[in-house]
Amino acid sequence: HKNRPGMKAADFTYVTVHGDNSRMSRLKAQYTMLFFYDPDCSNCRKFEKLFAEIPAFVEMVENGTLRVLAIYPDENREEWAAKAVYMPQGWIVGWNKAGDIRTRQLYDIRATPTIYLLDGRKRVILDNTSLQIAPVLSSDKSMYNSGCRLFLSGITGRETGAFDYFKPVYSSFIVNCIRFRSRSMLSTFTVTCW
């Protein structure tokens, strides 16, 4: 399996709306969030809105602690270019022109959005399958009204931190994973909701 937590993330090239070519590995930041999306994906837009409404998340993007690389991995360049301007401010929006994310199956993108969180050395901290919060996002009601507790378990398997937080759950999850990781090496992240 590729791109599991602790592994070096697979590198890929992308082109921006302005025609600049770059590689994911060239991004310099303490953390990088890969956001694989489709311009017509309504669920992607919900996630984009959620992230853009979390002050702590926006602050980390603005101060450079976190870089968000939103990548369209498919073939419709025209559609991607036309809608790229609607992505959240401060995000790097790119298109995998080479198409190797799909053809070489560099990342496990079964649905959009698919999200990976990387550290400064581009090692995977969280992959889409380790974000155990799908039930929280099953409906608008649960997404906005559920109280959730995030348990961060280290390599010893012991609970190293727990705290309550409310809406929006997904963005807070990413933000708090970054905050807690700066204090200790954490490998397993589990969310329980009630």
Side-chain angles (χ1 to χ4, degrees):
H1 294 286
K2 300 176 182 177
N3 303 308
R4 295 299 187 200
M7 297 175 66
K8 187 90 169 176
D11 198 12
F12 57 87
T13 60
Y14 64 91
V15 60
T16 68
V17 181
H18 305 295
D20 299 321
N21 292 284
S22 193
R23 305 189 70 85
M24 181 275 289
S25 60
R26 291 182 189 160
L27 286 176
K28 304 297 181 190
Q30 191 173 353
Y31 297 96
T32 300
M33 187 178 89
L34 302 180
F35 184 87
F36 296 103
Y37 78 106
D38 185 286
D40 274 341
C41 164
S42 60
N43 204 36
C44 297
R45 288 192 291 274
K46 288 180 184 177
F47 277 74
E48 292 156 17
K49 187 173 186 292
L50 287 177
F51 283 122
E53 289 177 349
I54 290 290
F57 187 90
V58 173
E59 181 182 344
M60 285 192 291
V61 171
E62 289 177 347
N63 67 26
T65 301
L66 171 68
R67 302 295 298 273
V68 180
L69 178 58
I71 292 293
Y72 172 55
D74 296 312
E75 299 174 354
N76 194 335
R77 182 196 178 283
E78 291 73 24
E79 182 181 21
W80 163 75
K83 296 181 179 178
V85 295
Y86 300 110
M87 296 297 284
Q89 187 172 353
W91 291 24
I92 301 165
V93 183
W95 170 48
N96 180 227
K97 183 178 180 180
D100 54 349
I101 289 174
R102 290 287 195 193
T103 59
R104 294 175 54 206
Q105 297 181 331
L106 296 182
Y107 288 83
D108 186 18
I109 306 173
R110 299 182 189 183
T112 53
T114 291
I115 297 170
Y116 288 79
L117 183 64
L118 315 178
D119 68 13
R121 291 190 280 178
K122 301 300 181 283
R123 291 176 307 186
V124 178
I125 298 171
L126 297 172
D127 65 5
N128 212 54
T129 58
S130 65
L131 298 177
Q132 303 291 333
I133 59 174
V136 182
L137 300 173
S138 61
S139 70
D140 286 345
K141 184 176 180 182
S142 66
M143 179 163 36
Y144 286 100
N145 298 328
S146 288
C148 291
R149 176 162 289 175
L150 174 62
F151 294 94
L152 305 168
S153 303
I155 53 175
T156 61
R158 295 197 309 267
E159 184 178 314
T160 56
F163 53 95
D164 295 330
Y165 63 95
F166 295 90
K167 61 182 183 179
V169 175
Y170 199 94
S171 302
S172 299
F173 181 74
I174 294 289
V175 168
N176 287 312
C177 282
I178 291 174
R179 286 177 173 166
F180 271 72
R181 188 172 169 80
S182 65
R183 298 181 203 165
S184 60
M185 291 298 291
L186 304 171
S187 59
T188 306
F189 301 80
T190 306
V191 172
T192 56
C193 298
W194 59 89

